[in-house]
């Protein structure tokens, strides 16, 4: 019965994707019995910067990130959550001038106690930042993503979710995306499979997860499967975690829209947890 339901769910998802219409998750429920937790970040106390470092930011240096700027020190903990704000700084920060500022942080080896893992289940519970041209993301990376070898097996950017659909008619949606072979002419991607949330994700917490094994990626929202794929051949190497917010635009200049982002938009993360298959733990 489950396989029949999964089959029809896959057909509906393919139709929705081809028409660029988001749909609700309708797959199987996540089975947590096969996993054991390996990484548990609940953001109690100050942000542990021996675990979380700036994604392509070093020290107090600010870098351009599309239509915004990134400075890792804007990411702070508050009331047991990680908070990454989107703020306009007239005086600038970290060597850059006036503009919209936010941050991206990761668990790469630049952090003394960084974390990466191959396979397992990766989950984030969060509230999304609200506003036009703002999107947050929970994603995985490794250096193999830049290898232009025709395969994602050595490394794939796995966007577990991106909240890049605020301007969509159905704005309570997120997308999941895959990228490999660098970001130039050889770049390959499977993009923008969109799914709807049943609540307001800009005001309420939801969980977004990825089950990753040697054969496929399986994506989840609130423990319900959204879709699965083996696009690129599936990464076979360890990848690290990234939490980020950015704005559309380029060179630190945001896209021009009438509904500009409201001051005070925040990406609020309750936790990030990573599990491993019990039969892979030695």
């Amino acid at each position: 019965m489950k396989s029949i339901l999964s089959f029809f769910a896959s057909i509906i998802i393919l139709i929705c994707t081809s028409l660029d219409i988001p749909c609700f998750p309708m797959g199987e429920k996540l089975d947590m019995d096969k996993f054991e937790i390996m990484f548990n970040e609940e953001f109690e106390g100050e942000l542990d910067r021996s675990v979380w470092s700036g994604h392509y930011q070093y020290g107090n240096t600010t870098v351009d990130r599309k239509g915004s700027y990134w400075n890792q020190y804007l990411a702070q903990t508050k009331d047991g959550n990680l908070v990454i704000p989107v703020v306009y700084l007239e005086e600038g920060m970290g060597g850059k001038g006036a503009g919209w500022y936010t941050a991206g942080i990761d668990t790469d080896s630049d952090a003394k106690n960084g974390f990466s893992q191959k396979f397992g289940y990766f989950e984030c519970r969060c509230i999304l930042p609200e506003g036009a041209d703002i999107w947050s993301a929970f994603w995985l990376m490794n250096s193999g993503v830049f290898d232009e070898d025709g395969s994602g097996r050595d490394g794939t950017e796995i966007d577990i979710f991106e909240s890049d659909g605020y301007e969509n008619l159905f704005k309570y949606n997120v997308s999941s995306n895959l990228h490999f072979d660098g970001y130039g002419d050889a770049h390959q991607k499977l993009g923008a499979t969109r799914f709807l949330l049943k609540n307001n994700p800009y005001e309420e917490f939801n969980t977004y997860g990825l089950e990753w094994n040697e054969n496929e990626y399986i994506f989840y929202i609130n423990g319900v499967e959204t879709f699965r794929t083996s696009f690129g051949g599936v990464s076979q190497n360890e990848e690290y975690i990234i939490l980020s917010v950015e704005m559309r635009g380029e060179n630190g200049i945001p896209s021009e829209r009438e509904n500009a982002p409201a001051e005070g938009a925040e990406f609020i993360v309750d936790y990030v947890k990573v599990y491993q298959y019990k039969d892979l733990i030695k």
Side-chain angles (χ1 to χ4, degrees), residues 89-155:
L89 299 179
E90 190 69 46
E91 301 300 321
M93 181 181 186
K96 298 289 185 177
W100 288 97
Y101 282 73
T102 183
I105 57 174
D106 66 35
T107 63
D108 194 7
S109 57
D110 289 326
K112 182 175 69 174
N113 296 318
F115 175 85
S116 61
Q117 181 172 295
K118 177 175 72 173
F119 307 149
Y121 178 67
F122 299 72
E123 183 176 85
C124 172
R125 183 174 186 264
C126 60
I127 296 175
L128 311 180
E130 183 173 15
D133 289 337
I134 301 175
W135 78 91
S136 54
F138 171 45
W139 43 308
L140 307 180
M141 273 284 285
N142 73 4
S143 60
V145 173
F146 297 93
D147 295 339
E148 297 180 1
D149 56 4
S151 169
R153 288 178 61 84
D154 50 352

Side-chain angles (χ1 to χ4, degrees), residues 21-90:
I21 300 173
C23 58
F24 289 106
M26 59 185 71
E28 297 182 11
K29 290 186 177 180
L30 177 66
D31 174 15
M32 291 300 298
D33 289 341
K34 56 190 173 185
F35 297 112
E36 183 172 320
I37 195 160
M38 305 297 289
F39 178 86
N40 185 14
E41 176 62 89
E42 299 190 3
F43 300 109
E44 298 292 340
E46 292 186 10
L47 180 62
D48 188 346
R49 298 188 185 274
S50 75
V51 176
W52 298 93
S53 57
H55 187 56
Y56 302 143
Q57 309 140 74
Y58 306 96
N60 192 37
T61 302
T62 293
V63 298
D64 298 3
R65 181 65 179 186
K66 298 188 178 176
S68 52
Y69 296 108
W70 268 357
N71 188 294
Q72 65 172 310
Y73 290 102
L74 284 173
Q76 302 282 342
T77 53
K78 180 181 178 182
D79 300 328
N81 297 312
L82 171 71
V83 179
I84 302 179
V86 181
V87 294
Y88 189 86
L89 299 179
E90 190 69 46

